[in-house]
Tab-separated table of all heavy atoms in Angstrom:
chain	number	residue	atom	x	y	z
Z	137	ILE	N	10.940	12.993	7.437
Z	137	ILE	CA	12.103	12.530	8.193
Z	137	ILE	C	12.593	13.656	9.091
Z	137	ILE	O	12.959	14.739	8.629
Z	137	ILE	CB	13.225	12.073	7.251
Z	137	ILE	CG1	12.749	10.896	6.387
Z	137	ILE	CG2	14.463	11.669	8.041
Z	137	ILE	CD1	13.745	10.435	5.354
Z	138	ILE	N	12.602	13.408	10.394
Z	138	ILE	CA	12.995	14.450	11.353
Z	138	ILE	C	14.456	14.315	11.783
Z	138	ILE	O	15.053	15.284	12.255
Z	138	ILE	CB	12.082	14.421	12.606
Z	138	ILE	CG1	12.175	13.060	13.322
Z	138	ILE	CG2	10.639	14.713	12.220
Z	138	ILE	CD1	11.449	13.015	14.648
Z	139	ASP	N	15.034	13.121	11.630
Z	139	ASP	CA	16.422	12.938	12.055
Z	139	ASP	C	16.939	11.611	11.510
Z	139	ASP	O	16.162	10.748	11.088
Z	139	ASP	CB	16.530	12.960	13.579
Z	139	ASP	CG	17.943	13.259	14.056
Z	139	ASP	OD1	18.833	13.452	13.189
Z	139	ASP	OD2	18.166	13.306	15.277
Z	140	ARG	N	18.270	11.472	11.548
Z	140	ARG	CA	18.907	10.226	11.105
Z	140	ARG	C	20.054	9.892	12.056
Z	140	ARG	O	20.868	10.762	12.385
Z	140	ARG	CB	19.439	10.362	9.683
Z	140	ARG	CG	20.200	9.134	9.197
Z	140	ARG	CD	20.492	9.238	7.719
Z	140	ARG	NE	21.547	10.190	7.412
Z	140	ARG	CZ	22.844	9.874	7.308
Z	140	ARG	NH1	23.236	8.629	7.518
Z	140	ARG	NH2	23.739	10.780	7.006
Z	141	VAL	N	20.106	8.665	12.499
Z	141	VAL	CA	21.170	8.190	13.387
Z	141	VAL	C	22.214	7.475	12.539
Z	141	VAL	O	21.893	6.519	11.829
Z	141	VAL	CB	20.622	7.241	14.473
Z	141	VAL	CG1	21.754	6.747	15.365
Z	141	VAL	CG2	19.562	7.951	15.304
Z	142	ASP	N	23.447	7.947	12.615
Z	142	ASP	CA	24.538	7.403	11.808
Z	142	ASP	C	25.398	6.482	12.665
Z	142	ASP	O	25.981	6.910	13.665
Z	142	ASP	CB	25.386	8.551	11.245
Z	142	ASP	CG	26.374	8.079	10.185
Z	142	ASP	OD1	26.591	6.853	10.089
Z	142	ASP	OD2	26.929	8.926	9.463
Z	143	LEU	N	25.459	5.201	12.277
Z	143	LEU	CA	26.255	4.213	13.018
Z	143	LEU	C	27.386	3.648	12.165
Z	143	LEU	O	27.905	2.574	12.457
Z	143	LEU	CB	25.348	3.066	13.503
Z	143	LEU	CG	24.209	3.441	14.451
Z	143	LEU	CD1	23.350	2.221	14.744
Z	143	LEU	CD2	24.748	4.039	15.749
Z	144	ARG	N	27.788	4.387	11.128
Z	144	ARG	CA	28.820	3.865	10.230
Z	144	ARG	C	30.167	3.688	10.924
Z	144	ARG	O	30.955	2.829	10.542
Z	144	ARG	CB	28.985	4.805	9.030
Z	144	ARG	CG	27.911	4.631	7.968
Z	144	ARG	CD	28.098	5.598	6.827
Z	144	ARG	NE	27.846	6.971	7.254
Z	144	ARG	CZ	27.933	8.036	6.465
Z	144	ARG	NH1	28.295	7.876	5.204
Z	144	ARG	NH2	27.664	9.244	6.911
Z	145	GLU	N	30.434	4.502	11.927
Z	145	GLU	CA	31.724	4.421	12.613
Z	145	GLU	C	31.738	3.360	13.711
Z	145	GLU	O	32.779	3.111	14.318
Z	145	GLU	CB	32.080	5.786	13.215
Z	145	GLU	CG	32.160	6.926	12.192
Z	145	GLU	CD	33.206	6.673	11.131
Z	145	GLU	OE1	34.254	6.079	11.463
Z	145	GLU	OE2	32.975	7.041	9.963
Z	146	VAL	N	30.580	2.762	13.984
Z	146	VAL	CA	30.477	1.760	15.049
Z	146	VAL	C	30.831	0.393	14.476
Z	146	VAL	O	30.138	-0.126	13.589
Z	146	VAL	CB	29.061	1.738	15.649
Z	146	VAL	CG1	28.965	0.668	16.745
Z	146	VAL	CG2	28.700	3.106	16.205
Z	147	LYS	N	31.905	-0.202	14.967
Z	147	LYS	CA	32.338	-1.505	14.462
Z	147	LYS	C	31.511	-2.648	15.043
Z	147	LYS	O	31.269	-3.649	14.377
Z	147	LYS	CB	33.821	-1.718	14.766
Z	147	LYS	CG	34.744	-0.758	14.016
Z	147	LYS	CD	36.202	-1.070	14.289
Z	147	LYS	CE	37.125	-0.125	13.505
Z	147	LYS	NZ	38.556	-0.410	13.768
Z	148	ARG	N	31.109	-2.474	16.297
Z	148	ARG	CA	30.302	-3.516	16.942
Z	148	ARG	C	29.211	-2.847	17.779
Z	148	ARG	O	29.497	-2.056	18.671
Z	148	ARG	CB	31.184	-4.407	17.822
Z	148	ARG	CG	30.452	-5.615	18.395
Z	148	ARG	CD	31.413	-6.560	19.088
Z	148	ARG	NE	30.742	-7.745	19.577
Z	148	ARG	CZ	31.334	-8.743	20.197
Z	148	ARG	NH1	32.664	-8.704	20.368
Z	148	ARG	NH2	30.665	-9.792	20.622
Z	149	ILE	N	27.958	-3.163	17.467
Z	149	ILE	CA	26.823	-2.536	18.136
Z	149	ILE	C	26.828	-2.897	19.619
Z	149	ILE	O	26.934	-4.066	19.991
Z	149	ILE	CB	25.501	-2.980	17.497
Z	149	ILE	CG1	25.412	-2.498	16.054
Z	149	ILE	CG2	24.317	-2.464	18.292
Z	149	ILE	CD1	25.343	-1.003	15.909
Z	150	GLY	N	26.728	-1.874	20.455
Z	150	GLY	CA	26.674	-2.089	21.897
Z	150	GLY	C	25.408	-1.494	22.482
Z	150	GLY	O	24.665	-0.758	21.817
Z	151	PHE	N	25.174	-1.770	23.758
Z	151	PHE	CA	23.958	-1.264	24.409
Z	151	PHE	C	23.968	0.257	24.474
Z	151	PHE	O	22.905	0.884	24.434
Z	151	PHE	CB	23.832	-1.855	25.815
Z	151	PHE	CG	22.553	-1.469	26.508
Z	151	PHE	CD1	21.364	-2.096	26.177
Z	151	PHE	CD2	22.544	-0.478	27.480
Z	151	PHE	CE1	20.171	-1.737	26.813
Z	151	PHE	CE2	21.366	-0.120	28.110
Z	151	PHE	CZ	20.177	-0.756	27.778
Z	152	ASP	N	25.138	0.863	24.561
Z	152	ASP	CA	25.223	2.325	24.606
Z	152	ASP	C	24.632	2.956	23.355
Z	152	ASP	O	24.005	4.025	23.431
Z	152	ASP	CB	26.681	2.768	24.772
Z	152	ASP	CG	27.233	2.420	26.144
Z	152	ASP	OD1	26.414	2.167	27.048
Z	152	ASP	OD2	28.469	2.393	26.303
Z	153	ASN	N	24.850	2.321	22.199
Z	153	ASN	CA	24.282	2.841	20.951
Z	153	ASN	C	22.757	2.823	20.994
Z	153	ASN	O	22.102	3.796	20.608
Z	153	ASN	CB	24.774	2.025	19.763
Z	153	ASN	CG	26.288	1.961	19.682
Z	153	ASN	OD1	26.882	0.889	19.797
Z	153	ASN	ND2	26.947	3.091	19.494
Z	154	ALA	N	22.201	1.701	21.474
Z	154	ALA	CA	20.747	1.585	21.566
Z	154	ALA	C	20.189	2.531	22.621
Z	154	ALA	O	19.121	3.133	22.437
Z	154	ALA	CB	20.360	0.143	21.892
Z	155	ASP	N	20.905	2.682	23.723
Z	155	ASP	CA	20.434	3.561	24.803
Z	155	ASP	C	20.367	5.011	24.328
Z	155	ASP	O	19.455	5.749	24.689
Z	155	ASP	CB	21.374	3.434	26.011
Z	155	ASP	CG	20.795	4.086	27.258
Z	155	ASP	OD1	19.603	3.865	27.537
Z	155	ASP	OD2	21.534	4.809	27.944
Z	156	GLY	N	21.335	5.419	23.508
Z	156	GLY	CA	21.316	6.777	22.970
Z	156	GLY	C	20.101	7.012	22.081
Z	156	GLY	O	19.461	8.077	22.144
Z	157	ILE	N	19.763	6.021	21.253
Z	157	ILE	CA	18.578	6.134	20.394
Z	157	ILE	C	17.308	6.167	21.240
Z	157	ILE	O	16.398	6.963	20.980
Z	157	ILE	CB	18.537	4.962	19.399
Z	157	ILE	CG1	19.762	5.002	18.476
Z	157	ILE	CG2	17.249	4.986	18.583
Z	157	ILE	CD1	19.907	3.773	17.609
Z	158	ALA	N	17.254	5.304	22.262
Z	158	ALA	CA	16.074	5.267	23.128
Z	158	ALA	C	15.879	6.595	23.862
Z	158	ALA	O	14.745	7.087	23.984
Z	158	ALA	CB	16.213	4.121	24.136
Z	159	LYS	N	16.959	7.185	24.350
Z	159	LYS	CA	16.843	8.480	25.040
Z	159	LYS	C	16.358	9.565	24.087
Z	159	LYS	O	15.601	10.463	24.478
Z	159	LYS	CB	18.193	8.865	25.636
Z	159	LYS	CG	18.577	8.025	26.851
Z	159	LYS	CD	19.940	8.418	27.394
Z	159	LYS	CE	20.295	7.585	28.624
Z	159	LYS	NZ	21.645	7.890	29.141
Z	160	ARG	N	16.788	9.491	22.833
Z	160	ARG	CA	16.319	10.443	21.821
Z	160	ARG	C	14.817	10.291	21.608
Z	160	ARG	O	14.084	11.288	21.518
Z	160	ARG	CB	17.081	10.202	20.511
Z	160	ARG	CG	16.548	10.931	19.295
Z	160	ARG	CD	16.758	12.408	19.393
Z	160	ARG	NE	16.459	13.075	18.130
Z	160	ARG	CZ	15.947	14.282	18.042
Z	160	ARG	NH1	15.664	14.972	19.138
Z	160	ARG	NH2	15.717	14.828	16.866
Z	161	ILE	N	14.318	9.039	21.555
Z	161	ILE	CA	12.891	8.782	21.372
Z	161	ILE	C	12.098	9.288	22.574
Z	161	ILE	O	11.070	9.965	22.427
Z	161	ILE	CB	12.649	7.273	21.167
Z	161	ILE	CG1	13.306	6.804	19.864
Z	161	ILE	CG2	11.157	6.959	21.149
Z	161	ILE	CD1	13.301	5.297	19.688
Z	162	ILE	N	12.587	8.981	23.787
Z	162	ILE	CA	11.883	9.410	24.997
Z	162	ILE	C	11.860	10.927	25.100
Z	162	ILE	O	10.856	11.533	25.513
Z	162	ILE	CB	12.555	8.784	26.238
Z	162	ILE	CG1	12.384	7.256	26.218
Z	162	ILE	CG2	11.966	9.349	27.531
Z	162	ILE	CD1	13.168	6.521	27.280
Z	163	SER	N	12.950	11.576	24.712
Z	163	SER	CA	13.003	13.037	24.736
Z	163	SER	C	11.952	13.633	23.801
Z	163	SER	O	11.270	14.611	24.159
Z	163	SER	CB	14.401	13.510	24.337
Z	163	SER	OG	14.452	14.918	24.221
Z	164	LEU	N	11.804	13.052	22.622
Z	164	LEU	CA	10.781	13.532	21.688
Z	164	LEU	C	9.378	13.341	22.259
Z	164	LEU	O	8.500	14.204	22.091
Z	164	LEU	CB	10.901	12.792	20.352
Z	164	LEU	CG	12.130	13.119	19.493
Z	164	LEU	CD1	12.215	12.169	18.303
Z	164	LEU	CD2	12.071	14.567	19.004
Z	165	PHE	N	9.168	12.215	22.964
Z	165	PHE	CA	7.850	11.959	23.563
Z	165	PHE	C	7.551	12.969	24.664
Z	165	PHE	O	6.434	13.493	24.760
Z	165	PHE	CB	7.799	10.531	24.111
Z	165	PHE	CG	6.485	10.187	24.764
Z	165	PHE	CD1	5.371	9.893	23.993
Z	165	PHE	CD2	6.375	10.150	26.153
Z	165	PHE	CE1	4.160	9.577	24.587
Z	165	PHE	CE2	5.164	9.829	26.759
Z	165	PHE	CZ	4.052	9.544	25.970
Z	166	GLU	N	8.550	13.231	25.496
Z	166	GLU	CA	8.347	14.184	26.591
Z	166	GLU	C	8.102	15.593	26.085
Z	166	GLU	O	7.465	16.404	26.758
Z	166	GLU	CB	9.562	14.151	27.524
Z	166	GLU	CG	9.694	12.836	28.294
Z	166	GLU	CD	10.975	12.756	29.099
Z	166	GLU	OE1	11.870	13.600	28.859
Z	166	GLU	OE2	11.081	11.859	29.957
Z	167	GLN	N	8.605	15.896	24.885
Z	167	GLN	CA	8.369	17.205	24.278
Z	167	GLN	C	7.030	17.277	23.553
Z	167	GLN	O	6.684	18.319	22.994
Z	167	GLN	CB	9.488	17.525	23.289
Z	167	GLN	CG	10.857	17.701	23.934
Z	167	GLN	CD	11.974	17.782	22.914
Z	167	GLN	OE1	11.725	18.010	21.723
Z	167	GLN	NE2	13.205	17.576	23.357
Z	168	GLY	N	6.298	16.171	23.562
Z	168	GLY	CA	4.986	16.138	22.923
Z	168	GLY	C	5.046	16.050	21.407
Z	168	GLY	O	4.110	16.470	20.713
Z	169	GLU	N	6.131	15.466	20.878
Z	169	GLU	CA	6.314	15.404	19.424
Z	169	GLU	C	5.496	14.288	18.769
Z	169	GLU	O	5.264	14.326	17.560
Z	169	GLU	CB	7.801	15.206	19.096
Z	169	GLU	CG	8.695	16.370	19.481
Z	169	GLU	CD	8.438	17.593	18.625
Z	169	GLU	OE1	8.031	17.426	17.455
Z	169	GLU	OE2	8.617	18.716	19.128
Z	170	PHE	N	5.075	13.284	19.542
Z	170	PHE	CA	4.306	12.186	18.957
Z	170	PHE	C	3.474	11.510	20.038
Z	170	PHE	O	3.658	11.736	21.242
Z	170	PHE	CB	5.230	11.172	18.278
Z	170	PHE	CG	6.149	10.439	19.224
Z	170	PHE	CD1	5.756	9.266	19.841
Z	170	PHE	CD2	7.419	10.927	19.502
Z	170	PHE	CE1	6.595	8.593	20.712
Z	170	PHE	CE2	8.264	10.274	20.364
Z	170	PHE	CZ	7.850	9.099	20.978
Z	171	ASP	N	2.539	10.678	19.572
Z	171	ASP	CA	1.659	9.933	20.480
Z	171	ASP	C	2.006	8.451	20.524
Z	171	ASP	O	1.909	7.808	21.570
Z	171	ASP	CB	0.193	10.089	20.044
Z	171	ASP	CG	-0.247	11.544	20.020
Z	171	ASP	OD1	0.087	12.276	20.967
Z	171	ASP	OD2	-0.913	11.943	19.050
Z	172	VAL	N	2.387	7.898	19.371
Z	172	VAL	CA	2.674	6.466	19.267
Z	172	VAL	C	4.013	6.301	18.551
Z	172	VAL	O	4.275	6.979	17.560
Z	172	VAL	CB	1.575	5.721	18.480
Z	172	VAL	CG1	1.912	4.234	18.356
Z	172	VAL	CG2	0.220	5.913	19.143
Z	173	CYS	N	4.843	5.403	19.070
Z	173	CYS	CA	6.137	5.121	18.445
Z	173	CYS	C	6.202	3.644	18.067
Z	173	CYS	O	5.924	2.767	18.902
Z	173	CYS	CB	7.288	5.471	19.388
Z	173	CYS	SG	8.923	5.105	18.711
Z	174	THR	N	6.585	3.380	16.827
Z	174	THR	CA	6.695	2.011	16.326
Z	174	THR	C	8.097	1.777	15.796
Z	174	THR	O	8.638	2.620	15.071
Z	174	THR	CB	5.664	1.742	15.214
Z	174	THR	OG1	4.353	2.078	15.688
Z	174	THR	CG2	5.681	0.275	14.801
Side-chain angles (χ1 to χ4, degrees):
I137 299 176
I138 60 173
D139 200 0
R140 176 170 74 92
V141 179
D142 191 346
L143 299 176
R144 281 179 292 180
E145 301 300 325
V146 179
K147 294 184 179 180
R148 187 172 183 179
I149 296 294
F151 185 78
D152 291 342
N153 305 116
D155 192 45
I157 298 171
K159 288 179 179 177
R160 169 69 170 147
I161 295 171
I162 294 172
S163 174
L164 290 172
F165 179 77
E166 292 174 347
Q167 294 170 16
E169 294 291 331
F170 65 88
D171 301 317
V172 179
C173 178
T174 306

